[in-house]
Amino acid sequence: MKLVIAIVQDKDANKLRSVFVAHNIIATRFSTTGSFLRAGNTTYLVAVDDSKVDLTLQLIKETCSARQQFMTPPVSLNGDTAEHTFPIEVQVGGATVMILPIEDFKQF
């Protein structure tokens, strides 16, 4: 078994949950916050058999697409805003995924 940890943008979280349910993939979901964009994220913990890892990754990739977005960087603590007053285009969305081995799995 593997533990798939997937961090996705909130905008994609509900759709991914529906996709997981449709494919009988059980996931635990909780809210997280990213540091750079200070935007809401959702982290899924998914324990799956080795045979379902590829399917799980495929579903995440198909559901959580990267896209471009404009954002205004936060003001620096030293008060220097001259270089940071204009919105910049950044890539958001997609997913950050980590896969870990599960040594033991029990459900009570």
Side-chain angles (χ1 to χ4, degrees), residues 2-72:
K2 302 286 187 210
L3 176 64
V4 178
I5 302 170
I7 304 166
V8 303
Q9 195 175 35
D10 280 348
K11 185 174 183 175
D12 298 322
N14 287 333
K15 186 176 177 184
L16 183 59
R17 181 183 53 100
S18 297
V19 169
F20 282 159
V21 169
H23 287 85
N24 294 318
I25 295 173
I26 299 170
T28 298
R29 170 185 171 166
F30 55 97
S31 296
T32 53
T33 302
S35 61
F36 176 63
L37 297 177
R38 296 189 179 138
N41 294 321
T42 296
T43 300
Y44 282 99
L45 300 178
V46 187
V48 293
D49 288 322
D50 289 347
S51 63
K52 289 183 95 174
V53 171
D54 288 338
L55 171 63
T56 303
L57 293 176
Q58 177 186 346
L59 296 174
I60 294 168
K61 186 175 182 179
E62 290 173 357
T63 306
C64 303
S65 58
R67 52 199 165 271
Q68 297 297 113
Q69 173 180 315
F70 283 94
M71 59 94 51
T72 303

